[in-house]
Amino acid sequence: MLRTDDGPTIKLEDYRPTDFVLHSVAMTVRLFEGRAEIDTQLELERREGVAGDARLVLDGDELTLSGLALNGTAVPAETYTASPERLEIASLPATGRFTLDIATRIVPEENTKLMGLYRSNGVWCTQCEAEGFRRITYFLDRPDVLAPYRVRIEADRATAPILLSNGNPAEHGDLPDGRHFAVWDDPFNKPSYLFALVAGDLDSIHEEFETASGKPVTLGIYTEKGRVGQAGYAMDALKRSMWWDERRFGREYDLDVFNIVAIPDFNMGAMENKGLNVFNHKYVLLDPDTATDADYAGVETVIAHEYFHNWTGNRITCRDWFQLCLKEGLTVYRDQEFSADERSAAVQRINSVRRLKAHQFPEDQGPLQHPVRPREYREINNFYTATVYDKGAELVRMIATILGRDGFRKGMDLYFERHDGDAATIEDFIACFEDASGADLSQFALWYSQAGTPSLAVSESWDEASGTLTVGLKQALELGASGTDGDPFHIPVRFGLVGSNGQDKVVTVRHGAEVTGDVIHLTGEEETVIFENVGERPYLSVLRDFSAPVTLHHEQSLSDRLALARLDPNLFNRWRILNDLVAEALVAASRDPQRTAEPPLPAQIVEAILGSAGDDTIEAAYRAQALALPSEQEIARMLAENVDPDAIHAAVDAARRLIGERGRALFERIRAEARPAAEFSPDADSAGRRALANVALGYLAAASGDPAPAEAQYRAARNMTDRLAALAVLVHRFPGTGAATAALADFYARSEDDGLVVDKWFALQATVPDPAALDIVAGLLNHPKFTLRNPNRVRALVGTFAGANQRAFHRADGAGYRWVAERIVELDKLNPQVAARIATTFRSWRSFEAERRRAAQEALEKLSAIPGLSNDTRDIVGRSLR
Ligand SMILES: [Zn+2]
């Protein structure tokens, strides 16, 4: 049975401003063992035009009211009602400002949801986005209610020598009984979701940064005791981010201090609270012995992302949660651009597109589909999705592609100028680009409201006599779960006509569709572009840099595609074209597993892969990407129906062995040339060389069936990247062997005190590509280091198993589904947000073959019938079954 009657649906069309305007917030937070006392003073005023008898309704969540005063006088009991979820007050002044003093009492130690004020390893900290502030005090807890805050924190000095909140430090001093206080002033208007408070015994590092206009800023990073030595790279990334935002977007930092606190128990990656970012410590703490190159890149990205929010999110925030992509899509775009400038643009773009296809495309093609700006929700926590973040970033990227770099910058400048201090909407954002450039983006805006991944079909015909190339483009959007009409999008298609010398030809365009520079603007359902005076027949390269989030079907000969994979001056497209060829071959092989006589990949494609991988003129990171096969999940998504994960695994594995055999000499050369430098450096070049050598190790092991080289690398490794890569080869390719077991035991023994490394140990075992991995993860549940209370640990074991182990999670007997559903039920009682996130791994269940489909449906239906399931989890399960 499916319950659909509880939890109200919030709708975009119902938006209206609050009846009362908030002018300021003053809080005193007294922290004690086992309790926190919060006194909040709000300065309010009835909004003009609002009826004099309208009541003030404040949000709460599991709160207890312990005091209420109006202008300093206790409010009589008959004029208000208080429940854990709501405080409603009548008889408030019809005009003029008044103050409301609200006292609440909470127990941070019992807060396992990790929303609001909680304790992590003894440290008090907060997470308020989206609706956590209402777990601290009764409030108009919505993003369009902005005010300056003054916060006083009191705590025992020995337990919490460090007391932090938003803004600038104002005062601090001693109190009786070994207690002390600190006062923080945040002069910038902010919504409650950006409130933050941290108190505890923490280590820290500090550095000075001078902004472009000469303003000094003190930067601080706080960590658990004894770990601040691992925060140096994060500090460096922060300074580079601040410098970059000044140069690229003209944005300077505004407060006197910028603090980051790293916390072990955190529901998400990090949080951009004004002047006091709180981070999952996974995105701060690093050293070569405990972190991989991917971890370094991840820290750099997340530090930049949260810092960039200071302008896109904080100075300009969202009017309501439907506009979440306004801050997230835009800020992901900004962090992607930062990484492209700091590292290799082509490799960064490949990574972003892989991520988009791995997470957003399946979401867009399944029951959890929703527009980048949703129209309704039952639980906002469930809309922090790949669609809002990653597709949201693609939409901003398309605006930049349509307007060009200068036009885009002018629009951004106008946005900052016009909306600084505001809570804005997508319409406000788009209007800035229209007003700054004169362009009409009304059709483009459809990308925000219409869900689904459109397909783009490209055909070409060549007329030798006249030297004319005719290109046909056609878009289609199948009706999705949302039932929206498929109106045509404005699709910017970046292109080039590549000559046999590997250079783009300069050609004359006879307009069909509009063409500006190297972009075709497809606005109708079907359009044609004619290129004249082309000379010799060119190779048509389309959708360069993945200029739109579409599924491309380009009718192009194998020889043209192979030529482009070798010649295209657009490195991203070289990769994309080769990757598409490989994926199509693996889809065909997976569909027909009996076809054993044929190799899983045609010889020409194998040669093309090895050609790219062996090209010393190209950076190593790119060559490693050329060798990385599409994931098994990606093949499943492309199959779309009757998916058999065992057949996919067999096809991918056969391809891996084939490439390993054909490329043996090359892989041995790559490994021989990759002698590790004496000193570890996390820079992009060094990381790329390690990536290439480690991909080569994997192929050699696949081809030879010999664990010895991986064993040797594991023993000799002097950094986590090389050690973990060798361990992954041993554990995934030779599971259960003495070599794998010994290395796993060694890995655990050398790092059992470092939670982040232990997470890697759990995750590696959760991803053994075999149905029997279920027994491994089931056994690990009883491991002394496993706990449901730490989100990172849960994600490492349960999340990774369900999200990245296609063969074992989607076992034909349904045991994988049942096991994960049981974990969701247990976790839901403690932390509904993390439970709901894990439940999304069921989203593609309908695409599997009948036996698995039945088993998944049964597990989901059983889950939905559990009494007392949280709103978060019931929303995901309900939509998945819809
Ligand atoms: Zn963000």
Side-chain angles (χ1 to χ4, degrees):
M1 196 198 78
L2 185 60
R3 296 173 57 183
T4 51
D5 50 348
D6 45 1
T9 298
I10 316 291
K11 293 188 168 161
L12 171 59
E13 66 201 36
D14 293 342
Y15 173 84
R16 63 181 193 92
T18 53
D19 286 347
F20 291 83
V21 178
L22 179 67
H23 292 292
S24 69
V25 180
M27 296 175 82
T28 298
V29 179
R30 288 181 295 274
L31 301 169
F32 301 94
E33 288 303 321
R35 72 178 203 280
E37 302 174 356
I38 296 122
D39 294 342
T40 308
Q41 184 172 84
L42 309 179
E43 192 187 357
L44 292 154
E45 185 176 7
R46 194 177 298 268
R47 193 182 294 277
E48 243 185 81
V50 169
D53 61 350
R55 294 162 163 240
L56 172 66
V57 181
L58 302 177
D59 305 300
D61 183 6
E62 300 183 319
L63 284 182
T64 312
L65 182 71
S66 67
L68 182 63
L70 172 65
N71 289 328
T73 308
V75 177
E78 62 275 15
T79 56
Y80 74 89
T81 56
S83 74
E85 284 79 39
R86 194 177 159 94
L87 174 59
E88 201 173 322
I89 309 162
S91 309
L92 291 170
T95 56
R97 296 188 181 196
F98 60 90
T99 62
L100 209 54
D101 285 283
I102 301 167
T104 51
R105 302 291 176 259
I106 57 176
V107 184
E109 286 82 354
E110 287 174 6
N111 182 353
T112 62
K113 293 182 179 174
L114 312 187
M115 281 294 277
L117 175 62
Y118 64 97
R119 273 186 103 172
S120 167
N121 269 20
V123 175
W124 284 274
C125 63
T126 55
Q127 169 57 37
C128 291
E129 188 177 359
E131 297 176 339
F133 194 68
R134 63 182 66 179
R135 295 171 58 75
I136 299 172
T137 188
Y138 292 101
F139 203 75
L140 291 167
D141 192 15
R142 40 189 277 178
D144 62 342
V145 175
L146 312 174
Y149 283 57
R150 185 174 175 90
V151 177
R152 177 186 167 102
I153 313 166
E154 300 179 8
D156 179 66
R157 185 184 276 283
T159 317
I162 305 291
L163 305 172
L164 305 172
S165 190
N166 313 89
N168 293 321
E171 286 173 53
H172 61 92
D174 286 324
L175 294 168
D177 304 324
R179 293 175 65 78
H180 71 143
F181 74 94
V183 178
W184 290 80
D185 242 324
D186 187 356
F188 290 93
N189 276 341
K190 71 163 176 288
S192 51
Y193 80 87
L194 291 173
F195 170 83
L197 176 154
V198 172
D201 192 3
L202 300 160
D203 281 348
S204 62
I205 51 170
H206 298 272
E207 290 197 24
E208 295 296 315
F209 181 88
E210 193 182 301
T211 68
S213 63
K215 177 186 166 67
V217 182
T218 303
L219 312 177
I221 300 186
Y222 294 81
T223 73
E224 281 182 275
K225 299 297 279 181
R227 298 199 70 165
V228 81
Q230 291 180 299
Y233 186 79
M235 179 64 89
D236 178 60
L238 173 60
K239 288 194 288 190
R240 285 186 280 124
S241 306
M242 295 176 84
W243 191 89
W244 184 89
D245 211 18
E246 292 179 350
R247 266 79 192 161
R248 179 69 182 271
F249 284 97
R251 296 298 108 196
E252 278 189 43
Y253 187 64
D254 45 18
L255 291 162
D256 303 337
V257 298
F258 184 81
N259 287 319
I260 291 175
V261 182
I263 294 289
D265 305 291
F266 205 68
N267 278 353
M268 43 210 90
M271 180 62 212
E272 70 262 24
N273 318 299
K274 182 77 185 187
L276 178 57
N277 287 189
V278 178
F279 268 60
N280 185 328
H281 70 168
K282 175 180 162 65
Y283 293 109
V284 173
L285 303 178
L286 285 177
D287 62 45
D289 199 45
T290 59
T292 61
D293 290 322
D295 295 327
Y296 276 87
V299 165
E300 183 179 83
T301 298
V302 179
I303 291 271
H305 179 97
E306 305 308 332
Y307 173 73
F308 296 156
H309 268 314
N310 191 55
W311 275 95
T312 51
N314 300 4
R315 291 283 289 253
I316 306 177
T317 191
C318 306
R319 187 194 72 176
D320 51 65
W321 290 121
F322 295 102
Q323 323 293 331
L324 183 57
C325 62
L326 180 71
K327 75 177 179 79
E328 293 306 341
L330 176 55
T331 306
V332 170
Y333 170 75
R334 274 150 55 71
D335 82 52
Q336 288 176 349
E337 288 294 287
F338 169 72
S339 295
D341 284 352
E342 293 288 299
R343 292 161 181 257
S344 149
V347 172
Q348 286 311 307
R349 190 63 189 137
I350 291 168
N351 281 329
S352 303
V353 171
R354 274 193 198 276
R355 189 185 152 83
L356 182 79
K357 287 182 151 190
H359 300 288
Q360 200 279 324
F361 275 30
E363 189 168 272
D364 230 351
Q365 290 161 24
L368 300 184
Q369 181 196 65
H370 60 85
V372 171
R373 181 172 65 183
R375 274 179 294 272
E376 57 176 52
Y377 61 77
R378 287 177 55 207
E379 176 49 67
I380 187 58
N381 288 331
N382 289 338
F383 281 87
Y384 287 74
T385 60
T387 297
V388 167
Y389 279 66
D390 297 316
K391 189 172 179 182
E394 293 301 318
L395 304 199
V396 177
R397 183 174 297 279
M398 283 194 283
I399 295 175
T401 301
I402 290 168
L403 300 184
R405 195 175 162 119
D406 289 347
F408 180 74
R409 172 68 196 263
K410 284 196 189 100
M412 286 299 297
D413 287 350
L414 182 57
Y415 177 63
F416 291 128
E417 186 192 313
R418 193 182 276 178
H419 294 289
D420 187 13
D422 276 4
T425 63
I426 287 299
E427 283 77 9
D428 295 331
F429 179 64
I430 291 176
C432 291
F433 292 101
E434 292 187 316
D435 293 348
S437 69
D440 175 3
L441 294 174
S442 50
Q443 185 187 5
F444 177 81
L446 200 58
W447 281 103
Y448 283 97
S449 58
Q450 188 164 273
T453 309
S455 66
L456 171 65
V458 177
S459 59
E460 49 181 296
S461 76
W462 170 247
D463 183 62
E464 182 72 43
S466 61
T468 302
L469 180 73
T470 305
V471 177
L473 302 112
K474 189 176 176 181
Q475 61 168 309
L477 180 66
E478 282 181 30
L479 292 182
S482 61
T484 51
D485 286 340
D487 290 330
F489 291 99
H490 177 174
I491 301 180
V493 183
R494 204 183 277 283
F495 75 100
L497 271 52
V498 183
S500 54
N501 60 356
Q503 285 175 11
D504 281 353
K505 289 166 168 286
V506 180
V507 294
T508 316
V509 181
R510 197 164 81 211
H511 283 252
E514 190 191 345
V515 179
T516 53
D518 63 348
V519 179
I520 300 170
H521 299 268
L522 175 62
T523 51
E525 255 169 53
E526 197 170 356
E527 297 194 50
T528 304
V529 185
I530 299 167
F531 298 99
E532 294 176 328
N533 306 320
V534 178
E536 61 163 4
R537 191 179 77 83
Y539 303 108
L540 174 63
S541 169
V542 292
L543 205 64
R544 281 181 166 177
D545 297 324
F546 211 68
S547 58
V550 299
T551 318
L552 177 68
H553 307 281
H554 186 174
E555 286 169 36
Q556 197 169 30
S557 69
L558 179 61
S559 62
D560 276 19
R561 296 170 83 184
L562 289 169
L564 283 169
R566 206 175 61 245
L567 290 173
D568 198 326
N570 186 276
L571 270 188
F572 171 85
N573 244 22
R574 261 196 228 183
W575 168 82
R576 200 264 301 156
I577 288 163
L578 192 53
N579 193 259
D580 284 354
L581 281 170
V582 176
E584 287 162 25
L586 290 174
V587 164
S590 307
R591 203 172 262 146
D592 185 11
Q594 310 312 324
R595 203 190 52 156
T596 46
E598 282 175 58
L601 287 180
Q604 290 155 293
I605 296 178
V606 175
E607 292 315 314
I609 294 172
L610 295 174
S612 278
D615 186 345
D616 294 335
T617 65
I618 305 175
E619 63 194 314
Y622 180 90
R623 293 159 65 197
Q625 290 285 2
L627 281 169
L629 296 177
S631 71
E632 295 178 21
Q633 284 89 341
E634 172 71 358
I635 306 299
R637 183 187 66 76
M638 290 174 70
L639 279 163
E641 54 185 19
N642 279 318
V643 170
D644 174 356
D646 295 330
I648 293 173
H649 179 74
V652 173
D653 198 52
R656 198 177 301 282
R657 276 181 277 124
L658 178 65
I659 296 169
E661 281 157 19
R662 297 270 174 80
R664 190 180 298 239
L666 170 65
F667 296 134
E668 276 166 0
R669 172 168 75 79
I670 287 170
R671 292 201 71 220
E673 286 170 1
R675 304 233 171 280
E679 184 109 7
F680 176 89
S681 164
D683 69 90
D685 253 13
S686 312
R689 280 196 296 275
R690 283 187 286 272
L692 181 61
N694 285 322
V695 179
L697 175 71
Y699 277 112
L700 286 171
S704 67
D706 177 8
E711 266 186 294
Q713 176 169 321
Y714 179 84
R715 278 195 303 271
R718 284 185 296 167
N719 60 68
M720 178 53 85
T721 302
D722 291 339
R723 185 178 305 122
L724 191 66
L727 185 65
V729 169
L730 292 171
V731 174
H732 289 172
R733 185 147 292 278
F734 309 102
T737 62
T741 311
L744 262 179
D746 176 79
F747 188 87
Y748 180 78
R750 54 180 296 146
S751 48
E752 65 172 305
D753 295 328
D754 185 331
L756 293 172
V757 183
V758 172
D759 288 339
K760 295 183 193 310
W761 183 82
F762 275 105
L764 202 62
Q765 297 177 81
T767 45
V768 171
D770 189 293
L774 179 59
D775 304 330
I776 302 174
V777 292
L780 285 172
L781 270 191
N782 301 317
H783 191 278
K785 292 278 184 197
F786 184 76
T787 168
L788 284 173
R789 285 173 186 265
N790 176 258
N792 286 357
R793 192 59 43 82
V794 171
R795 284 186 282 255
L797 186 67
V798 186
T800 311
F801 174 78
N805 194 336
Q806 185 160 267
R807 273 190 97 192
F809 175 51
H810 297 281
R811 256 163 70 138
D813 64 3
Y817 301 136
R818 290 190 291 276
W819 186 82
V820 172
E822 285 162 16
R823 304 293 79 73
I824 290 169
V825 174
E826 290 169 1
L827 187 58
D828 191 59
K829 296 186 184 102
L830 294 168
N831 191 330
Q833 227 180 89
V834 176
R837 184 52 66 106
I838 289 176
T840 65
T841 54
F842 279 91
R843 67 186 170 203
S844 302
W845 65 275
R846 278 195 181 88
S847 66
F848 284 80
E849 52 74 35
E851 198 181 341
R852 289 173 169 90
R853 210 158 57 223
R854 248 191 323 272
Q857 184 169 5
E858 213 170 277
L860 282 170
E861 280 171 352
K862 204 172 150 196
L863 197 50
S864 77
I866 302 275
L869 208 60
S870 69
N871 201 34
D872 302 57
T873 301
R874 186 174 302 113
D875 172 47
I876 294 291
V877 173
R879 281 194 280 143
S880 300
L881 280 168
R882 202 154 63 193

